[in-house]
Amino acid sequence: MPAVVIVGAQWGDEGKGKATDLLGERVDYVVKPNGGNNAGHTVVVRGEKFELKLLPAGILSPQVTPVIGNGVVVNLEALFEEIDLLAARGVDTDRLRISANAHVVAPYHQTLDKVTERFLGKRAIGTTGRGIGPTYMDKAGRLGIRIQDLFDESILRQKIEGALRQKNELLVKLYNRRAVDVEETVQDLLAYADRLRPMVVDTTILLNDALDRGEVVLMEGGQATFLDVDHGTYPFVTSSNPTAGGALTGSGIGPARVSGVIGIVKAYTTRVGAGPFPTELFDEDGERLQRVGHEVGVNTGRPRRCGWYDALMIRHAVRINSFTDIVLTKLDVLTGLEQVPICVAYDVDGVRHDQMPMTQTEFHHAQPIYEMMPGWSEDITACRSLDELPQAARDYVQRLEELAGCRISAIGVGPDRADTIVVHDPLGQRAR
C-alpha cells in the first residue's frame, strides 16, 4: 500500500494540521519529516483547539502512530513540554515514535540563532529564534548531535566538544557573549535520555514494514514550498526541504511507494517573517484578512502578513511537488467581500510574467496583475457540498482549480475538523 504526502503550497500556515487531522482517522501512521518546533499547526476538534508545534497532527487520532522522522530537528525541552500539555488534556501520547537519526536542537543553537539575527540587523531573515537554522547547519557541517547520541555519553561529549570548539570562538570574539560550558550542555541533554529511550526506533524500518503490511502512511510536511531552502524565496526560507521530495528524504520512504501528493492551499496568501510578497496588502483589506482569518503565528504569536491569492505561486508549487490533489482552506474568510482579486500574472519593470520569475531580483520587483471575481455575502460555514455554496464562491473555487491545473478535492469552510466540503476523496483507494 503506497504512502501519501501532504505539502503546504505557499509560505506555510495553510491549514496542513487540519488536513492531516481530517485524513488521520483513515491512516495508520502520520510522519513529520522536516522542520522543528518552528512549524506549528492549529487543529480544532469538536470545538476544542490544539496548538501543535513539534508533534505530528496525527497525535490527535487515537488509532494513528505518530512519528517524528529523521529529517526533523528536535528541541527536547519543547518536545516534552508539548507531550505533557497534551497528556493533561487527555490525549494519549504513548504511541509516539522518534527516529534515532533525527538531530537535536542544543541550547547553544538557540543562542546562536538569536545573536546572529541581531547581528544581521536590517538583513535579518525573520527566524523564530528557536535554533532551527543553526541545527541544520551543524547537520550539513557534520557537527550535529543525533537522538541516538544521547544513549552514549562518551560520543555525546565528544560531539559537543567538537561543536563548541568553533562556536565558542564566535560567541566570545565576534558576538561578545560568554562561552558555552561543555559539561553543562552534556548534562542538560542527558537529563532527557531515560524518558526519551522508549520512543526511539529506526523509523525507516518501522514505516517501510508498515507499508509492506498494507498500512497507510501519511507524511505531513512542515512549513511550505516557498520556504524550501532550494525552491523557496531564498534567503528568506527555512533550512530544510518542506516539499514532497524532502518529505521522502526526511521519512526514509522511497518515491515509488508514494501514490498521492496533497497540496494545502489557503484561499488567500499569508507569510510570517521577512521576504518578498507580491500580493501583500497594507490597507483595510489586509487588516480584515488578518482579523477574520485569525492570522497569528502558532509558535511566535506574530501577526501574519496577508495578501490576495497568488495563482503563479500555486502553479509553481504544483510543478515542484507533483500535486495529485489540492485542499483549499479558509474559503469562509473571504465571505463579505464585494470582489475577490486573484493574481494571475506579474508585471516586472514593464514585462508581463505568467510564470514565477527566474531570479529573486525579479520576484522582489514583481507587481501583481489581478483578475477580479465577484464576492459573496452568504455564510458558508454550514455548507457541506459544492451545491450549497453561493454561485460566486463556486465560481471562485472553479477558477482557482483552472489556474492551478490540479483538482481541488476538499474545501475548508470553517476552523473545525467537520467544517469541510469533500468534492473528491483525496485519499481515494489509498485508505481503508
Side-chain angles (χ1 to χ4, degrees):
M1 196 66 177
V4 179
V5 184
I6 282 182
V7 177
Q10 293 154 307
W11 279 299
D13 309 306
E14 301 94 347
K16 296 181 294 296
K18 178 183 176 182
T20 303
D21 180 60
L22 182 69
L23 301 173
E25 293 187 340
R26 302 168 55 209
V27 302
D28 302 288
Y29 289 79
V30 173
V31 188
K32 181 185 177 83
N34 71 286
N37 62 319
N38 62 331
H41 295 314
T42 299
V43 180
V44 180
V45 182
R46 292 181 291 275
E48 189 174 3
K49 184 166 74 171
F50 294 88
E51 293 184 348
L52 304 174
K53 299 175 183 178
L54 187 55
L55 296 173
I59 196 87
L60 300 176
S61 297
Q63 82 291 348
V64 166
T65 298
V67 177
I68 291 177
N70 55 274
V72 178
V73 293
V74 182
N75 179 317
L76 294 168
E77 180 181 8
L79 172 71
F80 288 116
E81 180 181 313
E82 192 169 341
I83 286 172
D84 290 342
L85 285 172
L86 287 180
R89 296 176 67 179
V91 177
D92 178 13
T93 60
D94 290 343
R95 307 176 315 282
L96 177 66
R97 295 295 177 262
I98 303 173
S99 171
N101 289 341
H103 278 246
V104 175
V105 180
Y108 53 78
H109 291 129
Q110 298 172 72
T111 301
L112 281 165
D113 200 353
K114 292 170 184 175
V115 298
T116 301
E117 276 286 278
R118 285 197 291 269
F119 186 78
L120 288 172
K122 292 181 179 179
R123 292 182 174 85
I125 303 299
T127 76
T128 60
R130 306 291 169 86
I132 307 305
T135 307
Y136 277 114
M137 288 171 67
D138 274 4
K139 177 179 178 178
R142 292 159 293 187
L143 290 169
I145 301 163
R146 298 197 293 183
I147 289 287
Q148 59 182 280
D149 297 329
L150 271 68
F151 309 134
D152 187 327
E153 185 173 342
S154 174
I155 290 291
L156 178 64
R157 184 173 283 104
Q158 289 177 47
K159 288 195 169 187
I160 291 174
E161 285 175 348
L164 287 179
R165 189 174 297 122
Q166 175 205 56
K167 289 172 175 50
N168 277 334
E169 291 288 312
L170 285 172
L171 286 169
V172 174
K173 295 180 180 178
L174 180 61
Y175 298 123
N176 197 29
R177 298 292 191 273
R178 71 177 182 87
V180 176
D181 183 72
V182 171
E183 193 59 34
E184 182 180 333
T185 305
V186 170
Q187 297 307 319
D188 279 349
L189 295 180
L190 284 176
Y192 298 104
D194 288 342
R195 189 175 180 189
L196 189 64
R197 193 184 299 271
M199 307 175 186
V200 179
V201 299
D202 185 327
T203 53
T204 296
I205 293 175
L206 177 76
L207 296 171
N208 280 279
D209 283 353
L211 291 169
D212 289 342
R213 292 192 300 269
E215 295 177 305
V216 183
V217 175
L218 183 67
M219 287 167 275
E220 167 202 274
Q223 290 104 12
T225 298
F226 290 94
L227 292 176
D228 186 282
V229 70
D230 287 292
H231 299 289
T233 49
Y234 190 90
F236 303 99
V237 293
T238 192
S239 299
S240 61
N241 292 105
T243 40
L248 302 180
T249 303
S251 303
I253 294 172
R257 310 202 79 157
V258 175
S259 69
V261 182
I262 302 170
I264 313 302
V265 178
K266 195 177 285 185
Y268 48 101
T269 310
T270 61
R271 174 165 204 170
V272 172
F277 184 172
T279 67
E280 184 173 10
L281 296 167
F282 301 95
D283 56 12
E284 292 181 1
D285 285 330
E287 292 175 3
R288 181 192 178 282
L289 290 175
Q290 198 279 328
R291 183 182 68 256
V292 177
H294 305 289
E295 296 295 351
V296 178
V298 175
N299 272 301
T300 63
R302 292 181 292 183
R304 296 177 185 133
R305 301 157 62 190
C306 295
W308 299 123
Y309 184 93
D310 190 328
L312 282 75
M313 287 181 64
I314 304 307
R315 193 156 58 242
H316 199 59
V318 171
R319 187 179 297 122
I320 290 168
N321 295 287
S322 295
F323 291 151
T324 55
D325 299 88
I326 285 175
V327 173
L328 185 71
T329 64
K330 290 198 166 185
L331 183 64
D332 54 299
V333 174
L334 301 179
T335 298
L337 294 170
E338 290 187 13
Q339 288 187 310
V340 187
I342 302 171
C343 174
V344 294
Y346 300 142
D347 181 299
V348 182
D349 299 327
V351 177
R352 180 184 173 105
H353 286 247
D354 293 304
Q355 304 290 348
M356 289 283 290
M358 181 180 72
T359 69
Q360 183 72 9
T361 300
E362 290 171 310
F363 188 67
H364 183 78
H365 290 99
Q367 296 297 315
I369 297 173
Y370 288 116
E371 177 181 304
M372 306 304 292
M373 299 288 292
W376 61 92
S377 58
E378 301 91 331
D379 181 5
I380 65 172
T381 55
C383 295
R384 295 297 178 266
S385 71
L386 274 179
D387 291 341
E388 295 175 12
L389 285 176
Q391 185 62 50
R394 291 203 301 275
D395 291 344
Y396 182 73
V397 172
Q398 182 178 349
R399 184 60 179 142
L400 298 192
E401 187 174 70
E402 291 170 355
L403 290 166
C406 179
R407 72 178 189 179
I408 293 176
S409 294
I411 304 162
V413 292
D416 200 274
R417 176 192 287 178
D419 299 335
T420 307
I421 295 170
V422 178
V423 186
H424 310 283
D425 184 357
L427 290 183
Q429 299 303 312
R430 298 182 282 270
R432 58 176 185 267

